[in-house]
Amino acid sequence: MREKKAKRLFGTNGVRGVVGREMTPLLAMRIGAALGRMRKGRIVVGRDTRTSGEALGAALKAGLLAGGCTVLDAGILPTPALQYIVKGRHSAGAVITASHNPPEYNGVKVIEPDGTEMGDEETLVLEELVLDHPMEVVPWPEMGRAYRAPYLVEEYVEGVLSHFSQGVGEGMTVVVDPGSGAGAHCTPEILRRLGCRVLTVNGQMDGRFPGRQPEPSAEGLRPLADMVRANDASFGVAHDGDADRAVFVDEKGNYVEENCEFALILQMICRDRRGIVVTPVSTSLVVEDVARKNGSEVKYTPVGSIYVARSMISLIGTGSKVIMGGEGNGGLIYPEHQFCRDGAMTAAMMVQLLASGESELSSLVGELPVYHMRKGKIPTRKGERIVQSLAAAYSEEQILTVDGVKLIRGRSWALVRPSGTEPLVRVTVESETEEGADSLFREIMQAVDRIQGSP
Ligand code: MG
């Protein structure tokens, strides 16, 4: 079983917290100084639209500059845009963002020179510099300089466009809901340049997120669905606050479950490629079904996009052909483009999928195998013990211990994993039938209760 060394500041997606409580300008400055010390050179800094972004960004930059780094401030842009810009051309990057969290949150995501998020080992080193070492300030002749670089985002827009043929979206109407977040200037622009007629909902950048929460839930996407129906659009697409995820509504305004979105885009990729699809153990079987049907296979990783990205890179490094990666929450990764979740790229892939006009999105979703999921959480401090006891109890059956314990029983599975941030275990169950999902869910919840109750 995989042991994770506990991180003190960073979660799976960087440092995050309520501004003024866990996340302060002082902390941002110290992260900047620590990052500057680890990855000295030219650092690209960006942010999402949150009201605290400017203050935290200025503090982060101060830390980098005091450490002697050159700072390129790319301004407001999607996280994948900053990752694309950094990849291979700069020493590192940092984005001030809290992704899908409510407006009062903010955080920092650190980007490595290869464009991926910083991994566990390196993050522990960074944390130690932040928490246990005094901040280093270079002598005055070595102080860094900062440059405004809002033009950098165009590199990303052109990078996404380079994967599609010109005019692929001609004749198609699409509606984009960036939720007033960082995707507001990229995705509509990219889809327009693909030839689509583009309408927007919540298209103004606004860190108060007046239209909906940064998390794109079915509830919050009602105005998007209405706009799609009223304008005969082919689909609607919405992003979270930093636009690394994309979720869709079909031409009828129905929310497309994110695992189905993953499966449909995978199906399209499989038209001319076969290989490995990398995804966390929590992803629906619908993705594995589509992969298998198309002569491809699924490789499972721990939950967290960074594990998916790193696993894709290492598989490719050993000569495997990896055709796609992603999470079942609309965070999809395209290896020819870059090794991180990319919301605008996913929106463009949907244009390509529907470009032939042969099928509408709702009918494509309707052709996919149907699965039923159940999710629960149990407050406990015995997470690791529960996982170990379950692995022992079900050792006669097929289990995976990539992250927590996953019991695989034909076309059903159950995953039990301790939360990385809270004292609880998460239980996820999936089955082909409602009854199957209910009964396996009951069985697992009872088994966890028994283990909890035992001395
Ligand atoms: Mg995000």
Side-chain angles (χ1 to χ4, degrees):
M1 218 158 289
R2 210 171 124 274
E3 278 293 331
K4 281 187 203 165
K5 203 166 159 192
K7 284 182 261 183
R8 291 174 287 170
L9 276 176
F10 286 73
T12 30
N13 286 298
V15 187
R16 234 178 254 175
V18 172
V19 175
R21 213 169 64 194
E22 299 91 6
M23 191 66 229
T24 62
L26 192 59
L27 177 59
M29 181 174 72
R30 296 198 58 111
I31 293 170
L35 174 62
R37 206 163 145 183
M38 283 178 77
R39 301 280 182 264
K40 202 163 190 129
R42 212 168 51 210
I43 316 285
V44 188
V45 174
R47 59 187 171 93
D48 67 17
T49 57
R50 285 163 203 275
T51 55
S52 55
E54 202 140 21
L56 295 173
L60 183 100
K61 286 194 282 181
L64 286 164
L65 294 167
C69 290
T70 301
V71 173
L72 296 178
D73 188 345
I76 295 176
L77 80 177
T79 298
L82 187 124
Q83 294 183 268
Y84 188 86
I85 292 162
V86 167
K87 187 179 62 176
R89 277 171 292 197
H90 302 283
S91 309
V95 206
I96 310 285
T97 177
S99 189
H100 60 277
N101 289 124
E104 63 272 25
Y105 283 74
N106 215 337
V108 183
K109 244 182 223 185
V110 176
I111 308 303
E112 291 283 29
D114 66 356
T116 61
E117 285 169 48
M118 190 173 257
D120 288 339
E121 295 300 314
E122 302 289 299
T123 300
L124 288 168
V125 176
L126 183 76
E127 276 191 357
E128 202 184 307
L129 286 173
V130 170
L131 295 172
D132 305 333
H133 292 267
M135 182 174 143
E136 239 180 27
V137 178
V138 297
W140 67 267
E142 292 161 34
M143 284 281 159
R145 295 197 62 181
Y147 301 89
R148 280 165 49 85
Y151 52 85
L152 284 174
V153 73
E154 181 60 19
E155 291 179 9
Y156 168 70
V157 169
E158 282 174 13
V160 173
L161 289 169
S162 72
H163 298 286
F164 301 90
S165 40
Q166 228 187 346
V168 65
E170 270 165 26
M172 195 183 282
T173 297
V174 299
V175 188
V176 181
D177 177 356
S180 302
H185 58 186
C186 288
T187 303
E189 164 84 5
I190 286 168
L191 300 187
R192 242 171 239 133
R193 280 162 74 173
L194 289 176
C196 301
R197 170 178 176 244
V198 179
L199 308 170
T200 57
V201 178
N202 300 315
Q204 301 278 13
M205 292 193 190
D206 189 332
R208 291 160 299 177
F209 300 97
R212 64 167 170 87
Q213 287 291 306
E215 170 72 29
S217 66
E219 180 68 21
L221 300 190
R222 288 229 180 105
L224 173 67
D226 291 342
M227 186 89 134
V228 164
R229 275 192 300 264
N231 291 281
D232 280 327
S234 298
F235 67 86
V237 58
H239 295 307
D240 65 332
D242 66 335
D244 53 357
R245 285 162 50 202
V247 303
F248 295 90
V249 297
D250 67 20
E251 79 286 355
K252 294 175 178 158
N254 296 316
Y255 193 86
V256 178
E257 203 279 322
E258 294 95 323
N259 286 285
C260 294
E261 159 195 343
F262 190 166
L264 288 178
I265 292 177
L266 172 62
Q267 205 163 39
M268 172 173 71
I269 289 175
C270 283
R271 277 184 212 153
D272 43 31
R273 265 169 294 173
R274 256 147 225 225
I276 298 173
V277 185
V278 182
T279 193
V281 284
S282 51
T283 298
S284 167
L285 273 175
V286 70
V287 171
E288 194 178 304
D289 284 352
V290 165
R292 282 211 182 141
K293 202 175 135 201
N294 290 280
S296 294
E297 58 170 311
V298 171
K299 172 106 178 55
Y300 288 109
T301 70
V303 175
S305 67
I306 181 65
Y307 304 115
V308 177
R310 299 267 150 169
S311 167
M312 291 171 78
I313 292 170
S314 80
L315 282 165
I316 290 169
T318 57
S320 298
K321 194 168 167 209
V322 176
I323 55 171
M324 192 184 174
E327 299 179 310
N329 62 4
L332 304 180
I333 307 177
Y334 310 93
E336 324 69 29
H337 177 52
Q338 59 174 346
F339 292 96
C340 66
R341 297 173 293 185
D342 195 319
M345 180 75 186
T346 299
M349 290 298 273
M350 187 57 81
V351 170
Q352 172 145 312
L353 174 67
L354 300 173
S356 69
E358 282 164 22
S359 309
E360 296 195 306
L361 182 51
S362 63
S363 60
L364 291 173
V365 173
E367 287 161 18
L368 289 170
V370 177
Y371 285 98
H372 303 273
M373 263 199 194
R374 298 288 179 270
K375 288 181 183 181
K377 28 186 171 176
I378 303 175
T380 177
R381 295 191 177 276
K382 298 182 187 169
E384 284 304 326
R385 202 181 122 205
I386 289 171
V387 165
Q388 273 158 22
S389 305
L390 283 174
Y394 288 103
S395 61
E396 301 286 295
E397 298 192 53
Q398 189 187 354
I399 55 169
L400 260 185
T401 53
V402 170
D403 190 351
V405 58
K406 183 175 182 175
L407 167 68
I408 300 161
R409 202 179 264 172
R411 310 308 297 151
S412 304
W413 56 267
L415 174 70
V416 179
R417 48 182 290 273
S419 157
T421 47
E422 297 163 89
L424 53 88
V425 293
R426 295 181 195 283
V427 178
T428 311
V429 163
E430 186 179 58
S431 181
E432 281 177 312
T433 62
E434 299 270 7
E435 305 76 56
D438 286 334
S439 91
L440 184 55
F441 188 71
R442 257 193 320 273
E443 177 186 332
I444 297 294
M445 293 297 266
Q446 281 164 4
V448 172
D449 268 349
R450 268 199 307 278
I451 297 164
Q452 275 244 76
S454 67

